[in-house]
Amino acid sequence: MEPDYKQLFEKLPGLFLILDTEFVIVAVSDAYLKATLTEREKILGKGIFEVFPDNPDDSGATGVNNLTTSLNKVLQEGVPDKMAIQKYDIPKPEAEGGGFEERYWSPYNLPLLGSDNKVKFIIHSVENVTELLKMQQEGEEHEKKYETLKGINTNLDREITARAKEVEVAHLTLSEINQQLLEKAEDLQRSNDDLARFAETAAHDIKAPFRGVGGYLTIIKEKIKAKYNTNEFDEYFERIDLGRTKITTLLDDLLSFARVAQSNEPFAEVNTKQVVEDIMKASDLNIKETNAQFKISNELPVVKGERFQIVQLFQNILDNAIKFQDKNVPEIIIGAQKKGKLVEFSIKDNGIGMNPKYFNKIFEVFERLHSQEDYPGSGLGLAICKRIVERHGGKLWVESEPGKGTTFFFTLKSAEK
């Protein structure tokens, strides 16, 4: 049975953190949690300096600055960095009165490299030397404690060396795991590529006969009319043709869904204001038929992405905003807000809305909340949107209430540097 490396890491006797390249905590040993008075679920996924800020009551605190310098050196040069002993106070739990507790540490930062020799993670190892330094500062029994401290320092060096060896072993183990994950990711990509090629070939081969069916259907219809001079069968022909169109549309949407992740088009700057204007021009007839009203609440920015897919993203959501109405004149508000390196877009309508219990369901493949007769469609539109947004490194979510309209939110990367 393969060992549980995560559990092995957490049970290491040393004080270890694993940080990603943004200095976010991704793993922590039990000993580190105990030494820093923290809990795993409260610090995982947070930045190290968010969890461990400088003591605001210590005007001379340099812990954050010194550790930042060391971590950046490891990240940029890909080499370990052993830091001098640092005064870096830790926050005390509110249950213990809050505030900060004075601490001194001996830190060591070690890079974990990927197969491309770039830093993927940083192991942050520390030794708590607070008591040793307090003994030095107090100066009690100077000579005796001086000798004692020499012995302690020797043991500490040995301990650090031992811990460094443990870290090296952990590094090798993590590197092996990382390589396995990379290989599995490559296998998965190959499978996705094969599946996409199969979907495209299958859809093409299935659509071809349906094009022929449409032609023959027209011929049969004309011959029947010419011979019997009757419109009796028109409704049946319309239903057959509608079914053929639905299948063709479904196959097109399936292809669109498969091609999202398959696309190798490089990302470029995309003007979302122009995207919306182009969509409105292309949908002019549908807009006039419904008297749809559009309002852009603020300037739509330039983002990084694949233009075709971003057009498809906006098109699908805007089509839904026009389609899912109950005798209302569609009123659609499009907005955008800059949030760090991302842009958060919102598309709000005054349509029929939906129950919050369906928020996750609507983004799944073939999931529909309404019948084909009430609101036609393949059931793939929002699934395609979700896949496009995720390919662009963003998130897609919805807010809605029955009878009170719906707002779709999604994030894309800003083109601003």
Side-chain angles (χ1 to χ4, degrees):
M1 184 176 71
E2 188 171 344
D4 186 342
Y5 296 111
K6 178 177 179 294
Q7 186 178 27
L8 289 174
F9 171 78
E10 291 176 354
K11 299 302 180 184
L12 287 173
L15 281 58
F16 300 103
L17 278 182
I18 295 183
L19 310 173
D20 67 15
T21 56
E22 298 293 329
F23 306 150
V24 172
I25 301 169
V26 297
V28 57
S29 68
D30 293 344
Y32 190 97
L33 294 172
K34 181 178 180 181
T36 56
L37 310 178
T38 52
E39 298 175 24
R40 180 172 283 105
E41 62 272 14
K42 292 184 179 180
I43 70 171
L44 286 181
K46 294 184 177 180
I48 186 171
F49 302 120
E50 178 186 354
V51 178
F52 303 110
D54 276 335
N55 184 347
D57 297 326
D58 184 355
S59 59
T62 60
V64 168
N65 184 64
N66 294 341
L67 181 54
T68 299
T69 300
S70 176
L71 292 175
N72 280 325
K73 178 182 178 182
V74 172
L75 191 60
Q76 293 165 10
E77 299 178 8
V79 296
D81 186 53
K82 181 178 180 182
M83 299 174 63
I85 289 175
Q86 303 288 314
K87 181 181 183 298
Y88 201 149
D89 300 340
I90 62 168
K92 294 172 61 178
E94 291 297 328
E96 297 181 20
F100 281 74
E101 183 173 305
E102 185 180 79
R103 290 289 179 88
Y104 290 86
W105 310 91
S106 175
Y108 182 73
N109 298 310
L110 178 74
L112 294 181
L113 306 180
S115 59
D116 56 358
N117 285 326
K118 292 182 179 179
V119 176
K120 299 296 183 184
F121 298 96
I122 298 174
I123 293 181
H124 174 61
S125 169
V126 294
E127 292 289 335
N128 183 359
V129 295
T130 305
E131 294 303 319
L132 296 179
L133 290 181
K134 283 185 177 180
M135 290 172 64
Q136 288 179 327
Q137 292 167 357
E138 289 171 359
E140 297 175 3
E141 299 179 15
H142 180 71
E143 292 298 328
K144 178 181 178 181
K145 290 189 176 179
Y146 172 73
E147 294 299 326
T148 303
L149 283 172
K150 282 178 63 178
I152 291 175
N153 285 334
T154 300
N155 291 334
L156 184 59
D157 286 339
R158 290 174 182 158
E159 187 68 15
I160 290 174
T161 301
R163 293 292 180 265
K165 290 181 179 179
E166 291 177 0
V167 169
E168 286 184 31
V169 172
H171 167 61
L172 291 173
T173 301
L174 290 171
S175 295
E176 291 175 1
I177 294 173
N178 184 52
Q179 184 59 37
Q180 292 173 6
L181 289 174
L182 290 174
E183 291 173 359
K184 289 185 183 298
E186 290 172 357
D187 290 342
L188 182 59
Q189 184 60 49
R190 283 192 292 271
S191 297
N192 285 338
D193 292 344
D194 291 342
L195 182 60
R197 283 192 291 272
F198 170 77
E200 188 159 356
T201 302
H204 178 272
D205 290 346
I206 294 171
K207 283 171 66 177
F210 275 96
R211 286 193 291 269
V213 167
Y216 284 115
L217 187 63
T218 301
I219 294 171
I220 294 171
K221 181 178 179 181
E222 291 174 352
K223 286 184 176 293
I224 290 177
K225 278 195 171 185
K227 184 173 183 178
Y228 297 104
N229 191 24
T230 178
N231 295 324
E232 179 183 355
F233 302 103
D234 284 356
E235 181 184 350
Y236 302 128
F237 282 115
E238 287 176 6
R239 289 186 180 183
I240 294 171
D241 194 50
L242 179 61
R244 181 182 66 85
T245 302
K246 286 180 180 178
I247 292 175
T248 302
T249 301
L250 177 60
L251 290 171
D252 287 338
D253 286 347
L254 277 170
L255 273 179
S256 294
F257 183 78
R259 285 170 176 164
V260 171
Q262 184 70 13
S263 176
N264 292 318
E265 284 292 321
F267 284 3
E269 293 188 356
V270 180
N271 186 330
T272 57
K273 178 182 178 183
Q274 188 64 53
V275 165
V276 171
E277 289 176 354
D278 291 346
I279 290 172
M280 291 173 67
K281 289 177 184 176
S283 305
D284 186 57
L285 180 60
N286 192 25
I287 291 172
K288 286 181 179 178
E289 288 178 350
T290 60
N291 293 317
Q293 303 295 314
F294 288 84
K295 178 183 177 183
I296 298 177
S297 62
N298 47 26
E299 189 70 17
L300 298 183
V302 177
V303 298
K304 275 281 193 181
E306 183 179 333
R307 192 179 196 281
F308 175 80
Q309 291 188 353
I310 291 177
V311 169
Q312 192 175 22
L313 167 64
F314 276 90
Q315 179 78 65
N316 286 354
I317 296 178
L318 290 173
D319 283 348
N320 279 354
I322 295 174
K323 178 169 66 174
F324 289 99
Q325 295 286 338
D326 185 14
K327 301 178 182 179
N328 284 336
V329 172
E331 296 177 0
I332 300 163
I333 301 174
I334 305 170
Q337 294 184 54
K338 185 81 186 306
K339 294 198 173 181
K341 296 181 180 180
L342 297 175
V343 179
E344 181 181 292
F345 292 89
S346 61
I347 299 180
K348 178 180 175 62
D349 65 52
N350 64 334
I352 61 176
M354 72 183 82
N355 192 309
K357 70 181 181 179
Y358 298 121
F359 284 177
N360 291 327
K361 181 179 180 181
I362 61 172
F363 297 113
E364 299 299 325
V365 177
F366 298 126
E367 290 291 353
R368 301 176 54 88
L369 305 185
H370 309 280
S371 69
Q372 276 275 9
E373 290 73 19
D374 292 334
Y375 299 99
S378 66
L380 281 163
L382 290 176
I384 292 171
C385 289
K386 183 172 184 286
R387 208 168 200 194
I388 289 172
V389 171
E390 289 177 347
R391 181 184 175 235
H392 284 73
K395 294 181 180 179
L396 171 64
W397 69 100
V398 64
E399 292 180 2
S400 183
E401 289 184 47
K404 295 186 178 181
T406 298
T407 304
F408 283 95
F409 298 90
F410 56 89
T411 56
L412 297 171
K413 291 181 181 178
S414 172
E416 295 181 9
K417 295 182 180 179

